[in-house]
Amino acid sequence: MAKRVTLADVAGQAGVAVSTASLVLSGRGTEMRISARVQEKVFAVARELGYRPNAVSVGLRKGQTSTLGFVSDSVASSRLAGEMIKGAIEAARDRGYMVFVGETGGNLTLERQLLDAMFDRQVDGLILASMLTHGRELPEHLDRSPAVLLNISGHGGDGLPTVLPAEFQAGYDAATTLIEAGHTDIHLIGAGPGPDDVRTLSSAANDRLAGILAAMGEHGLAPASGHVITHWLPPEGFRAVSDLLQDTVPGALICFNDRIAMGAYQALQDRGLTIPDDVSVISFDDASIAGWMRPGLTTFALPHRAMGKKAADLLIDLVESRRSPKADAAPPSGEHLIPLPIRVRESVGAPRR
């Protein structure tokens, strides 16, 4: 491995003191009355040797490092939620920042160690993220730097900007899509039928259910049935829909995620029912399987990349507002909801006659 070129190397080859080389390369040569000939010599040697200043040292001198910390429970190892990291990196890069990423696996001791490591490296700000949307106790000393919560709900009192998916609106839009297609016989697979019929840690279930019920209520409707599921996996969706089919053939199903919908597809097809001619199905998440299912599953996509971008932009705004406060600009705060775009495929049609 090639030895890193130091400021002393540049100064030695240029025949000047290290302090002189430092002033020239930091742009203060003219201010300190260093001759143009000496400055040109120093710059030429620096280019020739491939000298690059130590970013950490420069950052410490300036009181900023142009780096952000990103600490999550299991975002990096989740293919779907990993988009949050990509979004954060893209937004940071566009604004001249780099991102250090650490994953805790849900281990609070490791989380504390990672946070300490980020602070030791003088990050300008920190994003604390979660794969599942839920509320949690925040770690101590998070206020040692500007911070933004990503996919962590219910902490408005902490005064931190929070980025969340707009789950209520997605639930509302899912029910509205079916109603506008002519459906009134709508069954919920995953939660419901009442507003408190939820059995999962993710707050997304509560918000999706509330949105569904609000949209149906506006049209004078209520769910025809609800089927609470603890683990949102294909076998659970298969069992719930198989049980439902013992009593009735539903007009439409709202599945609370794509894995439940995958099980629902299998149960319907085992009964010889076709989608959407016999039963319409709509879902949430837009997991990779949704586009491969036959027929393609209409679903609302979790906006992970957009959420990551928003979190990084908010954090940089917060960092820069503290560094150079403007009288007419309040630092970012509160909840920032990112819409879930609908992916229209072939699983929703008019009710069967």
Side-chain angles (χ1 to χ4, degrees):
M1 182 182 293
K3 178 177 176 290
R4 181 184 178 91
V5 177
T6 67
L7 185 62
D9 295 330
V10 174
Q13 188 156 326
V16 299
V18 171
S19 59
T20 300
S22 177
L23 289 169
V24 171
L25 295 174
S26 65
R28 299 183 60 201
T30 301
E31 173 192 343
M32 301 307 294
R33 298 185 178 181
I34 298 172
S35 71
R37 181 184 63 80
V38 170
Q39 291 189 59
E40 290 171 5
K41 177 67 172 176
V42 171
F43 282 125
V45 169
R47 287 192 299 270
E48 178 186 341
L49 296 180
Y51 170 75
R52 291 182 60 81
N54 186 305
V56 173
S57 298
V58 172
L60 291 175
R61 287 199 302 272
K62 293 182 176 181
Q64 65 186 74
T65 59
S66 295
T67 58
L68 308 177
F70 188 112
V71 175
S72 72
D73 48 16
S74 53
V75 168
S77 57
S78 165
R79 183 169 60 182
L80 188 64
E83 291 291 306
M84 286 196 282
I85 293 176
K86 293 180 182 177
I89 290 173
E90 289 170 0
R93 182 182 61 230
D94 289 346
R95 297 180 66 175
Y97 286 73
M98 292 184 64
V99 180
F100 294 141
V101 178
E103 183 172 291
T104 69
N107 184 310
L108 296 182
T109 299
L110 180 56
E111 178 181 80
R112 184 170 61 252
Q113 293 170 348
L114 279 172
L115 290 173
D116 287 341
M118 296 292 184
F119 295 136
D120 289 345
R121 284 161 178 75
Q122 302 290 319
V123 295
D124 292 329
L126 187 83
I127 296 171
L128 184 65
S130 173
M131 183 178 73
L132 294 176
T133 310
H134 69 286
R136 55 155 293 184
E137 292 296 322
L138 300 184
E140 292 183 2
H141 310 306
L142 190 59
D143 58 356
R144 281 189 283 178
S145 78
V148 170
L149 303 180
L150 176 55
N151 219 27
I152 296 173
S153 65
H155 286 275
D158 294 298
L160 298 178
T162 303
V163 179
L164 296 166
E167 300 281 11
F168 176 93
Q169 187 64 48
Y172 185 96
D173 292 344
T176 300
T177 298
L178 293 177
I179 293 168
E180 290 180 348
H183 289 281
T184 57
D185 181 37
I186 300 172
H187 300 251
L188 312 184
I189 311 298
D196 298 322
D197 296 324
V198 177
R199 198 181 300 150
T200 175
L201 292 176
S202 173
S203 62
N206 293 281
D207 293 340
R208 290 174 186 178
L209 178 57
I212 292 166
L213 297 179
M216 295 188 73
E218 288 181 8
H219 290 83
L221 299 173
S225 72
H227 303 265
V228 179
I229 294 177
T230 302
H231 303 293
W232 290 2
L233 298 170
E236 305 302 320
F238 177 83
R239 280 191 283 271
V241 176
S242 295
D243 290 344
L244 173 63
L245 291 172
Q246 291 180 12
D247 300 321
T248 185
V249 175
L253 303 178
I254 299 179
C255 296
F256 274 67
N257 78 350
D258 296 340
R259 290 175 293 178
I260 291 175
M262 184 179 179
Y265 264 47
Q266 188 65 56
L268 293 169
Q269 291 163 358
D270 280 2
R271 282 287 300 271
L273 298 168
T274 60
I275 303 166
D277 294 339
D278 293 316
V279 182
S280 288
V281 181
I282 197 166
S283 181
F284 304 89
D285 289 359
D286 194 31
S288 58
I289 191 66
W292 285 97
M293 293 164 67
R294 292 295 179 266
L297 176 63
T298 294
T299 183
F300 287 82
L302 282 170
H304 282 139
R305 186 171 293 210
M307 290 167 62
K309 286 184 176 181
K310 183 66 174 180
D313 276 327
L314 285 171
L315 182 56
I316 294 169
D317 288 345
L318 189 58
V319 168
E320 295 182 351
S321 71
R322 292 190 180 186
R323 187 177 298 150
S324 303
K326 298 178 181 178
D328 59 345
S333 62
E335 285 190 350
H336 299 261
L337 299 178
I338 309 300
L340 282 70
I342 188 172
R343 304 291 190 234
V344 177
R345 299 189 178 100
E346 299 83 35
S347 66
V348 174
R352 66 184 180 278
R353 292 185 178 180

